[in-house]
Amino acid sequence: MGRLAAASLVGTAIEFFDFFVYGTAAALVLGPLFFPTFSPLAGTLAAFGTFAIGFVSRPLGSVLFGHVGDRYGRRPVLFASLLLTGCATVAVGCVPTYGTIGIAAPVLLLVLRFLQGLGLGGEWGGAVLLTAEHAPANRRALWSSFPQIGPSIGFLLANGVMLALSVGLSDAEFRSWGWRVPFWAAGVLAAVGLLLRSSLAETPQFEKLSAAGQTAGAPLAEVARDHWRLVLLTAGALAIGYATFYTVSTWALAYGTERLGVSSTVMLTCVMAAVAIKGATTPFVAILADRWGRRPLCLAGCAASALWMFPMVALLHTARPFLMFLGFLGALLAFITMFAVVAAYLPELYEPRVRCTGAAVGYNLAGVLGGALTPIVATALSDGGSGPPWGVAAYLTVVALVSLGCFALLPETLPARVGAERRAEPEPVST
């Protein structure tokens, strides 16, 4: 389990490095380089628009790779998704700017971002099922939480490289070529990830399904016919997690540097410190989920998110580093109270034959609802006025309440509790 968890963690860290480095670049440099004819606000919105395309393609990736995972195995998904995302990310670092090739520059950026999202849409389902379907039932949340640490590591790597480059290079050098370095580094990381995953075994549950000839012929059709309500509920439930994370990691960077005049170095440091603590907390929250259940923690995380959005915006608006860090930390701890759990929770909600498709589609559809729209909506809501952007806080609070309602409608899946409930049911009377 340790080797499997490590391989899943490293793979998701690499793929999320690829995905996050684009978000940081969109907040800091892509607007003026690829949309120079726009106003600063419009350029930022356009850059976040290309950022959002990656989320739109993630559900498509989960459908494509989910079909592979449910029909041919979880293992092939891990290779194909990592290869696609890595190649697309390296290519982003090679795209000439608007000043060199004109309108073709943002178009190429859009296409490559779409491919990034396509690969990442398949990665999560494959990596999570690799651990969840190998793990013992009483420690499933703990082992499944390791792929959920990957996004924190990927974010820290992406922003750490960006921070080092922004400090070590002049502004002109950073805008000229420095921002491209993390995208080029993705090729090396992808090669390392593929090597680590080359010796992984298929999951026992899929091997059992395959041996019995019970794999799904058309998993998406089965999910749409039998589990559509579950997909919509999980997407709505997880939307606040995405909205919170990308408010902190993407919109806040742009707002702090452009509106508050805080240096990008300070903003990145505040966000990275909060993300580091969030990542370190992940397995401890998962242990609680194995003891007390998945649903109670998800409900608590949603409630905490709804209560914290206004304080977070107020702390951000102070432009004081420590207070901004506290605002980000509170939001991300509420976030991880949910997302440390969902790697075990979502697979348990779906039957094994369509699990890769169902869990991944619900998870990535939430990314469209929460992650794709939030930086754009927040940027528009924070335009104008000198006070704190309360509209952003109100928007996030509403999303949190919607997610809370969706989690309230989902069942508990803790194996010990579900087993006890089944044992308590009366035995059928023979006649």
Side-chain angles (χ1 to χ4, degrees):
M1 282 309 306
R3 183 171 59 85
L4 289 167
S8 293
L9 185 153
V10 170
T12 54
I14 292 168
E15 292 227 33
F16 276 92
F17 168 89
D18 297 351
F19 201 73
F20 288 145
V21 78
Y22 189 101
T24 305
L28 298 178
V29 297
L30 294 187
L33 291 178
F34 287 86
F35 305 95
T37 59
F38 290 18
S39 68
L41 174 63
T44 300
L45 284 170
F48 282 153
T50 60
F51 173 76
I53 289 297
F55 287 97
V56 174
S57 62
R58 280 175 66 169
L60 299 178
S62 63
V63 169
L64 172 64
F65 290 105
H67 179 88
V68 174
D70 283 326
R71 186 156 176 77
Y72 303 105
R74 320 315 192 193
R75 191 169 175 270
V77 173
L78 298 174
F79 290 92
S81 61
L82 182 56
L83 184 63
L84 176 60
T85 307
C87 290
T89 305
V90 172
V92 170
C94 301
V95 176
T97 62
Y98 186 94
T100 303
I101 60 173
I103 192 65
V107 171
L108 284 172
L109 209 61
L110 200 70
V111 171
L112 293 171
R113 180 62 176 173
F114 182 89
L115 294 176
Q116 267 192 325
L118 205 67
L120 192 61
E123 163 66 24
W124 186 85
V128 163
L129 291 188
L130 184 74
T131 52
E133 293 189 344
H134 274 99
N138 65 334
R139 288 289 181 267
R140 186 175 295 138
L142 173 60
W143 288 115
S144 299
S145 73
F146 281 87
Q148 296 297 81
I149 303 173
S152 297
I153 296 175
F155 181 86
L156 292 173
L157 283 174
N159 287 277
V161 173
M162 281 288 192
L163 180 60
L165 290 168
S166 64
V167 171
L169 301 175
S170 68
D171 186 63
E173 289 173 329
F174 182 73
R175 290 177 178 271
S176 175
W177 58 269
W179 68 271
R180 298 181 183 274
V181 173
F183 292 92
W184 296 335
V188 178
L189 294 176
V192 171
L194 290 170
L195 182 63
L196 287 173
R197 289 180 167 184
S198 62
S199 61
L200 297 179
E202 186 54 78
T203 70
Q205 287 192 12
F206 181 81
E207 288 184 337
K208 190 179 297 184
L209 283 172
S210 182
Q214 295 177 350
T215 56
L220 179 61
E222 287 192 36
V223 169
R225 183 185 67 241
D226 302 328
H227 305 288
W228 62 269
R229 182 176 178 272
L230 185 55
V231 169
L232 294 180
L233 283 176
T234 52
L238 299 179
I240 184 55
Y242 279 99
T244 299
F245 189 85
Y246 287 101
T247 294
V248 171
S249 65
T250 303
W251 170 78
L253 283 179
Y255 182 82
T257 54
E258 295 172 9
R259 292 290 302 280
L260 302 179
V262 182
S263 73
S264 59
T265 301
V266 170
M267 291 302 303
L268 282 171
T269 302
C270 291
V271 174
M272 288 171 64
V275 170
I277 295 174
K278 185 260 297 184
T281 306
T282 303
F284 298 101
V285 177
I287 290 172
L288 296 178
D290 276 325
R291 182 173 180 81
W292 302 110
R294 288 59 162 127
R295 189 167 168 267
L297 288 172
C298 291
L299 292 171
C302 279
S305 297
L307 294 172
W308 188 248
M309 292 302 105
F310 278 90
M312 183 194 73
V313 167
L315 292 169
L316 169 63
H317 194 71
T318 65
R320 298 172 63 180
F322 183 68
L323 295 180
M324 290 192 296
F325 159 73
L326 288 180
F328 298 153
L329 180 60
L332 292 182
L333 289 179
F335 158 84
I336 204 58
T337 303
M338 296 172 280
F339 271 59
V341 175
V342 297
Y345 194 20
L346 262 65
E348 289 170 348
L349 287 168
Y350 292 88
E351 57 182 306
R353 59 184 280 113
V354 295
R355 181 174 286 161
C356 195
T357 300
V361 169
Y363 186 85
N364 288 296
L365 189 58
V368 178
L369 300 175
L373 297 178
T374 294
I376 298 172
V377 172
T379 300
L381 290 174
S382 60
D383 182 34
S386 57
W390 299 124
V392 176
Y395 167 75
L396 292 171
T397 301
V398 170
V399 176
L401 293 174
V402 171
S403 292
L404 184 66
C406 290
F407 271 124
L409 295 173
L410 290 172
E412 178 56 73
T413 62
L414 180 67
R417 186 172 300 172
V418 171
E421 289 173 355
R422 287 176 179 168
R423 287 192 297 272
E425 292 175 359
E427 292 292 331
V429 178
S430 59
T431 57

